Amino acid sequence: MGVAVPILTREEVRAFYDRFGSKQDTQEFYQDPTTTDLIRHARFEDACAVFEFGCGTGRFAARLLAHHLPPHCRYLGVDISSTMVRLARQRLSPWCDRAEVHLCDGSTRLDNADSSYDRFVSNYVLDLLSESDIHSLLNEAHRLLREDGLLCLASLTRGETFLSSFVSWSWQCIHSVRPKILGGCRPIELRKFLPAEKWQVGYRNVVKKFGITSEVLVALALAGLDQKSAKVSG
Ligand SMILES: C[S@@+](CC[C@H](N)C(=O)[O-])C[C@H]1O[C@@H](n2cnc3c(N)ncnc32)[C@H](O)[C@@H]1O
């Protein structure tokens, strides 16, 4: 029998990130090389509508809006933490005509319309959700994305070299006893959550920085059999 992974409740996550706030930006030393790789492979230049789950302080969104998204592209970020939402709104105020940030209840069931976005982004958030929440969020990502839409993810993952596997092992040990110290995040493998009948993985990479290992993944949302048959019969 596998050992149960401790997952923070939504209340604990909210309380942690409400306190952590702008300190989240200190994680840029390992997150920025990863998200730079994501940006290189997710064709944000062609995007019309971007959704971000767990937008934090809005740092990634500001980078996209300042340098990568076309001027007509809309952005919506959601986060469970009111501190993060306040910080992200401040940061994104120069783009307030097309960028919005909403406070959400942390549910992985989203109330946005089907096929309303062409990029679904979530950086360093899936690694703090339970496996069932990850599956449920990715089902929602599939529903929100247009047929040719791209899922754009970055997450902590297990290291493969001597140093990085030691860092992930230590991280996992701390997480298994005190997940709150790490904001609930633990190394996961994103690819195993993407069934081949729904997602075509176009790009996957592992980025190591200072012994911390991250996975970058860009996947195309494939039309489901139900949608295809609806199109044929409609
Ligand atoms: C590790 S931080 C990453 C923030 C940002 N994506 C980044 O890369 O800097 C995790 C973020 O996800 C948010 N979060 C965690 N669980 C969430 C949930 N169930 N729904 C919405 N936001 C969530 C937290 O409040 C926090 O802002």
Side-chain angles (χ1 to χ4, degrees):
M1 227 171 67
V3 181
V5 177
I7 300 293
L8 299 189
T9 64
R10 287 181 189 153
E11 290 65 37
E12 289 172 326
V13 167
R14 183 181 294 115
F16 178 90
Y17 287 98
D18 276 350
R19 271 198 318 274
F20 202 51
S22 58
K23 291 200 266 312
Q24 177 59 41
D25 291 349
T26 61
Q27 310 298 301
E28 66 183 13
F29 72 96
Y30 69 91
Q31 294 187 345
D32 279 7
T34 311
T35 49
T36 297
D37 194 40
L38 181 67
I39 287 172
R40 262 194 219 117
H41 293 91
R43 294 193 285 105
F44 282 105
E45 294 69 19
D46 302 336
C48 295
V50 176
F51 182 91
E52 183 174 10
F53 186 83
C55 61
T57 63
R59 221 158 49 82
F60 186 69
R63 256 174 97 187
L64 290 183
L65 287 154
H67 303 295
H68 302 285
L69 296 178
H72 60 271
C73 180
R74 293 179 290 117
Y75 168 90
L76 172 63
V78 299
D79 203 286
I80 195 173
S81 152
S82 53
T83 305
M84 292 302 193
V85 167
R86 182 176 46 76
L87 293 169
R89 281 183 181 152
Q90 274 167 12
R91 182 169 259 157
L92 302 186
S93 59
W95 300 278
C96 61
D97 55 333
R98 59 196 180 105
E100 283 179 58
V101 182
H102 293 178
L103 182 64
C104 69
D105 64 4
S107 169
T108 49
R109 296 289 156 99
L110 306 173
D111 52 16
N112 311 69
D114 294 3
S115 308
S116 45
Y117 293 90
D118 54 14
R119 297 292 180 280
F120 186 104
V121 175
S122 195
N123 295 331
Y124 298 99
V125 183
L126 271 64
D127 48 25
L128 55 80
L129 301 180
S130 67
E131 294 213 348
S132 66
D133 272 350
I134 298 176
H135 285 296
S136 144
L137 182 66
L138 293 179
N139 282 339
E140 287 292 79
H142 195 271
R143 183 181 67 73
L144 259 58
L145 281 171
R146 296 177 186 150
E147 203 177 315
D148 55 351
L150 295 177
L151 177 69
C152 309
L153 302 175
S155 160
L156 288 175
T157 197
R158 280 184 197 86
E160 288 152 0
T161 62
F162 177 74
L163 172 66
S164 60
S165 51
F166 176 72
V167 172
S168 345
W169 175 80
S170 314
W171 191 299
Q172 265 174 310
C173 290
I174 299 170
H175 183 271
S176 62
V177 284
R178 297 286 300 278
K180 275 189 201 170
I181 295 182
L182 303 168
C185 305
R186 84 274 187 201
I188 60 168
E189 193 187 334
L190 290 171
R191 193 166 43 181
K192 78 170 196 189
F193 293 99
L194 300 178
E197 64 278 13
K198 291 184 99 170
W199 301 102
Q200 181 185 323
V201 175
Y203 180 73
R204 181 185 175 268
N205 193 19
V206 169
V207 178
K208 289 185 261 326
K209 214 68 203 174
F210 303 105
I212 300 181
T213 312
S214 302
E215 183 179 1
V216 178
L217 194 142
V218 179
L220 180 70
L222 301 174
L225 285 178
D226 47 339
Q227 286 161 277
K228 277 191 190 136
S229 52
K231 268 182 199 155
V232 171
S233 57

